[in-house]
Amino acid sequence: MAVKTRVTEVQVFRSGATVTRCGEVSLTAGRNVVYISGMTNSTVFDSYKLKFPEKVRAVNIQIVSDPLPDGDEKKESEVIAKQLDEIAYQIETTDMMIELRKKNSDFANRSNISVEEQEKILSALPQQILMLHKQRDELVEKQTKLTEEYNKAVEEEKKPVIIAELSSEEAGTVPFILQYQEKDSCWVPQYEIQYRDDRSPLDVSMKAQIRQNSGEDWKQVKVTLYTGNPSISKDLPVIAPIELSIYEPPKARAAKGIMPMDMMLGAAAGAAMESSANMMMGAAMDVAALKMDTAEVSEEETMTAFILPNLRDILTDTDGNMADLQSFKVNAVYNVLSVPSVDNKCYLTAEVVAADWPLPPADASVYIRDTFAGTVYVDAAADTEKILLSLGQDERLTVVRTEAPKKLQDVFLKNLRRSTSKISIKLVNNSSEAVNTLVIDQIPVSTDKVIVVDPVQLSDGIVDDETGEVKWNLLTDPGKTVVYELEYNVSWPKDKRMGEHRKNVVRRTATVSSGSQFCHTCGARMSGKFCPECGAPAN
């Protein structure tokens, strides 16, 4: 006895899904053999569960890939194939009838038919031909539908089937439930960030992109999304012993044909800077958002569940299954950031407290007053107290940085050589409103006690002694021009040669950059020690 099931509920995890199917079966009192279909080729076979009323007991259950029907029962594809043969014969017969009608209307070689009979045949011929063509069109349409059903039946028959030998206390129709794990499904979080003005918090909405490649459309099902991944084995932490030993450093040898480390770092930093700048530039476009009901949030023991409202369709092999999960506001400190020594453009940034962003890392679409401004990556799982979001290029300010040629001179009494650097930064507010501005430049940092860096002029900037960054944070009035002068001296022994290289520093900014790390197992973007999608450890 073949029994079909339909999907009624799915629980989608970050990787994988639990599918619940329902069906009914007519049982006789005593032993019954039931063929239950519904599982796909991407099903985790050892995960299935069958649930029947208590009066039904299982004698034996097994999964087969190509079951043979019981007795005289035929496969669905065989039944449809026979129907297709019959329709093909009917179409062929109809074509013969059309040709015969046309042939009978030719009276050139027929002299035994009167004029009256010829007129009668010719007057009835158009209607007869029209009816035959109409019958043929209906047959072709039915043939097309049956061909689709045949192909679908063949695909379904390739899927695994559960053969359940059941024992029932009494005869009757009973409902049952089939549950299993589906491998080819997942959901990916996505954010939508709305910036209104410098005085308002960020409006953040979390969406879910649901994907499933089971080969079957899930129509009108209840959907629940879970933040966890049940396919990951959670091993308990174990403390490894710490061993101490005396380290003997190897003797240095001159390397031939190898690029110096400072040059390698400089080249890598330049490539990362160029790639990051290209990614941050995006053409703005007007968009209109269609609002949906948000999900019901349930905090469970090991994960968070988002119960989607209403029944919905989750189509197979598509990325267009989107759902609204949660909306919230987050306070932010806004600045127009300018780092003129690296980039002559200005960028609107929002600094938020990491604890105020309770959701997982994900890509985010940024909108400036309902206008699309680009896409950034919000690394909410990073080990940092604050998250710096890049909201896109800001054209309200113009910054011009001018660096004078360095002056070298010898300090004879101290046997030193001194280098003097002068930098001028001109900041112009082109807008009609005051703008919170953060300008960052730098002075070098000495890593050797014989090299002395002496700031001469900082224009009230605040210097970080460890990094050498000089920051000016101010409210720039509309239409005003501000000029910062930065001057410093570097002194070192005259008989020594001073080297300079730029250290590669990664700023924790929520933006896509060439330094992103991707999982070697599933290809998802990751920032910590483990992949948020599949749980694989970082290389």
Side-chain angles (χ1 to χ4, degrees):
M1 181 189 307
V3 180
K4 291 186 176 181
T5 58
R6 68 180 185 88
V7 181
T8 58
E9 182 178 356
V10 291
Q11 298 171 323
V12 186
F13 301 91
R14 295 299 300 276
S15 178
T18 299
V19 179
T20 301
R21 310 180 72 99
C22 293
E24 289 184 343
V25 59
S26 296
L27 301 177
T28 61
R31 179 182 178 274
N32 300 264
V33 178
V34 180
Y35 293 77
I36 301 175
S37 62
M39 293 197 300
T40 67
N41 292 319
S42 53
T43 297
V44 181
F45 293 151
D46 59 358
S47 68
Y48 76 92
K49 289 183 179 179
L50 275 175
K51 299 180 181 180
F52 276 84
E54 290 187 0
K55 62 182 180 180
V56 179
R57 293 288 185 270
V59 178
N60 184 31
I61 299 177
Q62 58 182 322
I63 299 177
V64 295
S65 57
D66 190 13
L68 296 175
D70 282 340
D72 297 332
E73 188 177 355
K74 294 184 177 180
K75 293 183 178 181
E76 184 179 3
S77 62
E78 295 176 346
V79 175
I80 298 175
K82 185 176 180 180
Q83 296 175 357
L84 285 171
D85 291 340
E86 293 175 356
I87 290 179
Y89 174 74
Q90 294 177 20
I91 293 175
E92 183 181 359
T93 303
T94 305
D95 290 338
M96 292 174 60
M97 291 294 296
I98 292 173
E99 291 301 320
L100 183 60
R101 293 289 183 182
K102 292 180 179 179
K103 186 175 181 180
N104 288 339
S105 65
D106 185 4
F107 306 109
N109 298 321
R110 299 170 63 185
S111 58
N112 58 344
I113 299 179
S114 64
V115 176
E116 290 79 7
E117 291 177 340
Q118 292 180 17
E119 290 178 350
K120 185 178 180 180
I121 292 174
L122 291 174
S123 62
L125 182 64
Q127 184 65 27
Q128 293 172 348
I129 297 295
L130 180 63
M131 290 298 296
L132 288 171
H133 276 291
K134 185 177 180 181
Q135 292 177 13
R136 189 184 190 282
D137 290 342
E138 291 175 352
L139 289 170
V140 170
E141 183 179 356
K142 188 176 180 180
Q143 184 185 46
T144 302
K145 291 182 179 179
L146 279 176
T147 301
E148 294 177 356
E149 293 178 9
Y150 172 78
N151 294 333
K152 185 177 180 180
V154 170
E155 290 298 322
E156 287 295 322
E157 289 167 1
K158 293 179 181 178
K159 296 178 180 180
V161 173
I162 298 177
I163 301 181
E165 186 177 348
L166 307 175
S167 176
S168 178
E169 297 178 0
E170 57 185 32
T173 300
V174 296
F176 68 92
I177 294 175
L178 168 62
Q179 287 183 330
Y180 56 86
Q181 290 297 116
E182 179 65 49
K183 291 186 294 186
D184 288 347
S185 59
C186 66
W187 72 275
V188 179
Q190 292 184 350
Y191 295 117
E192 188 176 286
I193 300 174
Q194 285 276 1
Y195 165 84
R196 301 298 178 187
D197 53 59
D198 291 347
R199 296 171 297 279
S200 303
L202 289 173
D203 293 325
V204 182
S205 62
M206 181 183 178
K207 301 178 182 293
Q209 185 179 50
I210 310 170
R211 301 169 182 164
Q212 64 100 352
N213 301 315
S214 66
E216 173 191 30
D217 293 336
W218 299 337
K219 294 292 189 70
Q220 292 300 289
V221 297
K222 179 182 177 181
V223 181
T224 303
L225 306 181
Y226 286 89
T227 56
N229 185 358
S231 64
I232 301 176
S233 175
K234 296 294 186 182
D235 296 328
L236 295 177
V238 177
I239 296 179
I242 300 176
E243 299 177 347
L244 300 179
S245 61
I246 301 299
Y247 173 69
E248 295 291 342
K251 296 181 180 180
R253 293 188 302 172
K256 297 182 179 180
I258 300 178
M259 182 184 295
M261 183 58 69
D262 57 345
M263 294 180 63
M264 293 174 63
L265 292 175
M273 187 186 306
E274 180 180 358
S275 176
S276 178
N278 291 336
M279 291 184 180
M280 291 174 68
M281 295 175 61
M285 52 179 289
D286 292 330
V287 293
L290 181 63
K291 298 296 183 181
M292 293 189 292
D293 294 334
T294 56
E296 177 186 348
V297 182
S298 175
E299 297 290 343
E300 302 188 1
E301 286 82 358
T302 59
M303 62 187 76
T304 301
F306 297 97
I307 305 170
L308 303 189
N310 309 317
L311 301 179
R312 55 195 303 128
D313 296 343
I314 306 296
L315 305 182
T316 185
D317 302 320
T318 178
D319 291 336
N321 299 311
M322 300 296 298
D324 282 349
L325 299 186
Q326 191 175 4
S327 297
F328 61 95
K329 295 181 182 292
V330 58
N331 294 322
V333 176
Y334 303 102
N335 279 302
V336 175
L337 175 66
S338 173
V339 188
S341 63
V342 179
D343 191 346
N344 59 3
K345 303 180 185 67
C346 297
Y347 298 92
L348 179 62
T349 64
E351 189 178 60
V352 302
V353 178
D356 294 340
W357 197 285
L359 301 176
D363 287 322
S365 298
V366 179
Y367 293 85
I368 305 297
R369 298 184 180 92
D370 295 325
T371 300
F372 180 67
T375 302
V376 300
Y377 181 69
V378 182
D379 192 359
D383 185 17
T384 179
E385 294 182 358
K386 295 184 179 180
I387 304 172
L388 185 62
L389 299 172
S390 173
L391 304 183
Q393 185 176 339
D394 196 315
E395 298 181 353
R396 291 177 294 177
L397 300 181
T398 301
V399 178
V400 178
R401 182 180 188 272
T402 305
E403 186 171 357
K406 292 184 179 180
K407 294 182 178 180
L408 285 174
Q409 59 179 341
D410 292 334
V411 184
F412 295 103
L413 296 179
K414 295 184 180 181
N415 198 26
L416 297 175
R417 176 161 291 184
R418 178 183 297 163
S419 170
T420 301
S421 299
K422 292 184 179 181
I423 299 169
S424 176
I425 302 174
K426 182 180 180 181
L427 178 67
V428 182
N429 185 351
N430 302 311
S431 67
S432 58
E433 57 184 3
V435 178
N436 289 320
T437 309
L438 175 61
V439 180
I440 301 178
D441 213 287
Q442 64 184 152
I443 62 175
V445 177
S446 174
T447 59
D448 195 314
K449 62 181 181 180
V450 299
I451 302 175
V452 178
V453 179
D454 181 25
V456 178
Q457 172 64 270
L458 297 180
S459 298
D460 296 327
I462 300 175
V463 63
D464 188 323
D465 295 332
E466 293 184 3
T467 64
E469 284 189 349
V470 182
K471 297 182 179 180
W472 295 271
N473 202 332
L474 75 157
L475 182 66
T476 309
D477 294 329
K480 297 295 184 179
T481 300
V482 180
V483 177
Y484 297 111
E485 300 291 344
L486 178 61
E487 181 179 348
Y488 60 89
N489 294 329
V490 180
S491 302
W492 67 97
K494 187 177 180 181
D495 57 346
K496 302 290 184 181
R497 183 176 178 181
M498 184 185 67
E500 179 180 313
H501 72 272
R502 185 177 296 274
K503 185 178 179 181
N504 188 17
V505 178
V506 179
R507 185 180 301 277
R508 292 194 177 276
T509 306
T511 180
V512 179
S513 69
S514 60
S516 298
Q517 186 177 7
F518 296 90
C519 177
H520 60 87
T521 301
C522 67
R525 183 184 289 108
M526 56 189 296
S527 59
K529 295 182 179 179
F530 298 94
C531 175
E533 299 293 336
C534 67
N539 287 331

